């Protein structure tokens, strides 16, 4: 191992330990029921689950379950992503069939095939900014943002060099065609509520 590789490994190790310490502290705090907690670029975000938000998440999960077994579809489960202190609890995540938890009991971003985030006003900048960059850097093949304020979805595919090459905008009511992606199905958005 070169000195540079050793330093990178140490930095990544320190990042994980620091994230672990941050989440351990959060677990001892009185976080209100129904709040999602994430760490994005070292900042802690807590957001309440809104009805519109939950209905879209549930709709996406139910449609994914027509193809994927329950154990591959996750919601609000911590997965650490590349970058400075990124411990996300994505709204919807699909894991690869071969995915297995680490010895610490966590899933790896290398096994993520699909992520969907539903926009909340307070954290929208994260979903469109640092989280999108982290997902692209992790080479998550498909990233979907459902935005009830814009009444549209943003589909990002083809991650390369920390960016998504392709963005497709789909209005609520139109189908999100994922048949040519790792997901391999079409999501209906007819019943997605609007804000």
């Amino acid at each position: 191992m070169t000195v540079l590789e050793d330093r990178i490994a140490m930095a990544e190790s320190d990042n994980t330990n620091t994230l672990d310490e941050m989440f351990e502290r959060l677990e001892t705090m009185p976080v209100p029921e129904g709040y999602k907690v994430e760490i994005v670029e070292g900042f802690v975000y807590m957001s309440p689950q809104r009805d519109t938000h939950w209905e879209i998440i549930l709709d996406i999960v139910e449609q994914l379950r027509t193809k994927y077994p329950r154990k591959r579809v996750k919601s609000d489960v911590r997965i650490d992503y590349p970058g400075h202190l990124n411990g996300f609890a994505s709204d919807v995540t699909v894991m690869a069939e071969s995915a297995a938890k680490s010895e610490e009991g966590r899933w790896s971003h290398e096994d993520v095939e699909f992520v969907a985030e539903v926009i909340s006003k307070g954290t929208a900048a994260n979903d469109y900014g640092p989280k999108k960059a982290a997902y692209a850097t992790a080479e998550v093949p498909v990233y979907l943002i459902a935005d009830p304020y814009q009444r549209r979805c943003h589909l990002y595919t083809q991650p390369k060099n920390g960016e998504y090459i392709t963005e497709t905008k789909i209005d609520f009511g139109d189908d999100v065609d994922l048949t040519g992606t790792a997901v391999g199905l079409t999501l209906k958005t007819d019943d997605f509520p609007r804000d």
Side-chain angles (χ1 to χ4, degrees), residues 22 34 61 66 79 94 116 141 193:
M22 292 176 76
V61 167
T66 65
I79 298 175
V94 173

Side-chain angles (χ1 to χ4, degrees), residues 62-143:
E62 287 175 340
Q63 291 183 65
L64 290 170
R65 289 277 295 120
T66 65
K67 178 179 178 182
Y68 295 100
R70 179 176 292 129
K71 67 179 183 172
R72 289 187 56 196
V73 180
K74 311 293 176 194
S75 181
D76 293 343
V77 173
R78 174 188 168 189
I79 298 175
D80 298 344
Y81 284 90
H84 178 69
L85 299 176
N86 286 324
F88 304 158
S90 306
D91 291 326
V92 181
T93 303
V94 173
M95 305 302 297
E97 187 173 353
S98 61
K101 289 184 181 181
S102 68
E103 289 181 16
E104 295 81 26
R106 283 197 294 277
W107 299 101
S108 172
H109 66 81
E110 287 94 345
D111 294 326
V112 174
E113 293 184 342
F114 170 82
V115 170
E117 297 284 7
V118 181
I119 294 298
S120 296
K121 281 187 179 179
T123 58
N126 289 337
D127 296 330
Y128 284 111
K131 288 177 83 172
K132 182 175 92 172
Y135 295 141
T137 301
E139 297 186 351
V140 172
V142 182
Y143 175 38

Side-chain angles (χ1 to χ4, degrees), residues 56 59-60 63-64 66 68 114-118 141-147 151-157 166-192 194:
I56 295 173
D59 196 343
I60 292 170
Q63 291 183 65
L64 290 170
T66 65
Y68 295 100
F114 170 82
V115 170
E117 297 284 7
V118 181
V142 182
Y143 175 38
L144 179 72
I145 294 177
D147 191 328
R151 298 178 177 158
R152 93 171 18 145
C153 291
H154 298 260
L155 176 63
Y156 299 96
T157 56
T166 305
E167 176 187 5
T168 306
K169 296 176 184 176
I170 304 106
D171 290 331
F172 282 11
D174 294 335
D175 293 347
V176 179
D177 183 3
L178 301 173
T179 56
T181 71
V183 180
L185 55 77
T186 299
L187 290 177
K188 303 284 186 190
T189 66
D190 303 15
D191 294 331
F192 285 10
R194 286 97 165 132

Side-chain angles (χ1 to χ4, degrees), residues 43-59:
F43 293 95
V44 176
Y45 291 89
M46 289 192 207
S47 53
Q49 186 74 268
R50 291 179 1 267
D51 195 47
T52 298
H53 194 252
W54 171 240
E55 285 183 33
I56 295 173
I57 291 169
L58 186 58
D59 196 343

